[in-house]
Amino acid sequence: MRDLATPALERGQVEPARRAQGAVGDGIASVLAFLGMPDIVSFAGGFPDPETFPREQVAALFEEFAASCEANAFQYAPTRGLAGTLDVLAGRLEALEGRRPAEDELLVTSGAIEALELVTKSFLDPGDLVVVEGPTYLGAIQAFRSFEATLEAVPLDEHGLDVEELERRLRGGMRPKLLYTIPDHQNPAGVTLAAERREPLVDLARRYDFLVVEDVAYRELGFSGETHPSLWSTAPDVVLQAGTTSKTFFPGVRLGWAVGPRDVTSRLVDAKQNTDQCAGALGQRLFEESVRRGWIDEQLVRSRALYERKSARLLAALERSMPEGSRWTRPRGGFFSWLTLPPGASSVELAPRAADAGVGIVPGTLFFPDGRGADSVRLSFSLVDEASIDDGIERLGSVLAR
Ligand SMILES: Cc1ncc(COP(=O)(O)O)c(C=O)c1O
């Protein structure tokens, strides 16, 4: 007899779509799991420090919007974004990257992750090849996988993506449709693409006909404030830049942008009409006003100093506590250092033992599409309380030594 009391999904009679079976894994859930656990010193989640959240300024803006019943802030927005938000984003791109996008080259997204989803949805058929950095951002692996793309990782070193290795593979017949890179203060490796690798990279895109997707999530968080030219400003014909306000403003607004060739961005606008139709207007207005009043730039000065202090503290603690044979990257911005364990040690085995000792870490395997990374750990210093960094790394060192 048919069981009509239990919903069909629970009875397992409604098959999930093929693209939903693509083993995206529970990676992000395992990163979030340590959040809010009381006795854990967590180096797991790449979250901004709440100290950087603009609480009073946002409260003041809410009051202004409410008092004037500002329609823009409360209403639906155009799919491409509110005109004022697009204007401040274009102005920031011009000021920070030396190129102001034309109106049809830019759109506002619901976070950088949505920009990645939109480009994936618009350009990838099942089986299409995406080249990523090995290691790379877990959310991007999941976005590409959810549309059944094939992923290949090209290694990076302390100067970012190994562009010579990429060229060797392209000469050997590799034909990606997209190349996804995080050139500045990379997640998870904490490295930055050298200035002299940037032109050669975009030249390869032109020669081999692929689109570069440049994720600039940490670009504005360089400790010195200095940056190399962005890939998008270097080659606006072959680069789509995905940006976010999550690390410079606050992630609760879920706000970002995509800027690139108009043929590409117009596809993203079409795709966005089939998802959320528009990024939240309230967040767009909060961000716009915060830029116009100079608050974002003021906060950036404080945020860079905070994260630089935390990074320095982490590096000093690693120096004291890590066993012989380990090495780690020395970030010049962003949220992460990438720890390579002594030969023979496995981060997959280390993670649960570290958790037992009160330390949250993410094994390196989550950041590769191909199972590599067991010799590495991502250490995020952004959220961990400054005073707990020494203790956490000391405990991690003792677990490793055992
Ligand atoms: C490299 C990278 N891209 C994108 C994101 C997500 O950005 P958003 O919050 O705007 O979706 C993150 C967040 O951790 C990230 O590290």
Side-chain angles (χ1 to χ4, degrees):
M1 235 176 73
R2 288 184 71 197
D3 167 15
L4 295 176
T6 315
L9 264 177
E10 275 179 37
R11 284 184 269 131
Q13 290 179 356
V14 179
E15 272 285 300
R18 218 157 34 101
R19 65 179 172 280
Q21 298 172 10
V24 290
D26 52 2
I28 285 188
S30 69
V31 173
L32 302 183
F34 294 112
L35 204 70
M37 278 194 189
D39 301 319
I40 289 256
V41 181
S42 176
F43 299 97
F47 288 46
D49 189 320
E51 194 181 311
T52 66
F53 295 161
R55 287 171 299 162
E56 283 154 25
Q57 293 160 349
V58 165
L61 287 173
F62 276 148
E63 259 191 49
E64 284 181 32
F65 296 162
S68 62
C69 192
E70 197 207 272
N72 268 352
F74 296 103
Q75 191 53 280
Y76 287 110
T79 302
R80 201 178 268 282
L82 288 171
T85 312
L86 288 164
D87 179 57
V88 297
L89 284 171
R92 275 186 90 67
L93 286 165
E94 186 174 18
L96 300 173
E97 302 186 26
R99 184 176 187 276
R100 188 178 179 94
E103 271 177 23
D104 54 2
E105 292 177 326
L106 177 67
L107 66 142
V108 179
T109 62
S110 300
I113 194 69
E114 198 214 9
L116 300 184
E117 162 113 9
L118 293 176
V119 75
T120 306
K121 198 163 101 170
S122 306
F123 289 94
L124 297 181
D125 283 316
D128 280 346
L129 181 65
V130 179
V131 167
V132 297
E133 296 163 324
T136 190
Y137 168 48
L138 172 60
I141 296 180
Q142 295 189 323
F144 299 134
R145 282 237 172 100
S146 69
F147 285 88
E148 302 169 75
T150 304
L151 301 188
E152 179 163 340
V154 170
L156 37 73
D157 57 27
E158 69 270 33
H159 305 294
L161 179 69
D162 185 342
V163 176
E164 286 183 5
E165 173 61 18
L166 171 68
E167 182 167 10
R168 268 191 292 280
R169 294 196 195 182
L170 289 164
R171 271 199 259 113
M174 182 178 78
R175 288 293 173 267
K177 216 162 179 185
L178 304 182
L179 177 137
Y180 171 72
T181 175
I182 309 155
D184 303 295
H185 319 301
Q186 206 247 15
N187 178 8
V191 297
T192 290
L193 185 66
E196 59 275 17
R197 289 187 184 181
R198 294 183 180 225
E199 285 277 2
L201 173 57
V202 295
D203 282 347
L204 288 174
R206 291 189 182 117
R207 237 189 303 149
Y208 290 93
D209 289 329
F210 57 85
L211 180 71
V212 175
V213 179
E214 173 190 43
D215 184 332
V216 292
Y218 303 93
R219 183 174 166 83
E220 289 174 57
L221 285 172
F223 302 148
S224 71
E226 282 170 26
T227 50
H228 298 317
S230 72
L231 296 176
W232 167 72
S233 65
T234 306
D237 53 329
V238 288
V239 178
L240 178 86
Q241 178 182 99
T244 175
T245 65
S246 289
K247 322 290 173 177
T248 53
F249 191 41
F250 64 104
V253 284
R254 308 303 303 123
L255 194 69
W257 69 89
V259 62
R262 58 176 58 84
D263 298 347
V264 175
T265 50
S266 67
R267 299 254 173 208
L268 305 199
V269 174
D270 289 349
K272 193 166 171 58
Q273 276 164 10
N274 294 324
T275 53
D276 61 357
Q277 294 187 351
C278 63
L282 185 55
Q284 293 191 52
R285 285 289 296 124
L286 290 173
F287 180 71
E288 179 192 340
E289 285 305 317
S290 300
V291 173
R292 292 200 192 282
R293 297 176 197 206
W295 294 341
I296 294 280
D297 285 329
E298 283 166 24
Q299 180 54 49
L300 266 171
V301 172
R302 293 190 290 268
S303 298
R304 288 185 189 124
L306 171 70
Y307 294 129
E308 182 173 24
R309 263 199 332 269
K310 288 188 172 194
S311 167
R313 190 136 186 186
L314 176 82
L315 297 180
L318 288 167
E319 204 70 62
R320 282 195 305 275
S321 304
M322 283 301 114
E324 189 83 17
S326 7
R327 53 202 163 81
W328 50 90
T329 58
R330 304 186 68 82
R332 280 177 283 143
F335 288 1
F336 311 102
S337 171
W338 184 248
L339 168 68
T340 306
L341 302 175
S346 156
S347 58
V348 179
E349 286 166 22
L350 179 66
R353 287 170 50 221
D356 288 344
V359 185
I361 54 163
V362 188
T365 44
L366 279 185
F367 307 102
F368 285 86
D370 51 19
R372 282 181 297 147
D375 61 348
S376 319
V377 170
R378 184 185 75 173
L379 295 173
S380 172
F381 50 80
S382 55
L383 185 61
V384 58
D385 176 38
E386 256 178 289
S388 309
I389 292 178
D390 298 354
D391 175 42
I393 293 299
E394 216 170 279
R395 284 197 235 172
L396 185 64
S398 325
V399 177
L400 256 177
R402 268 188 250 130

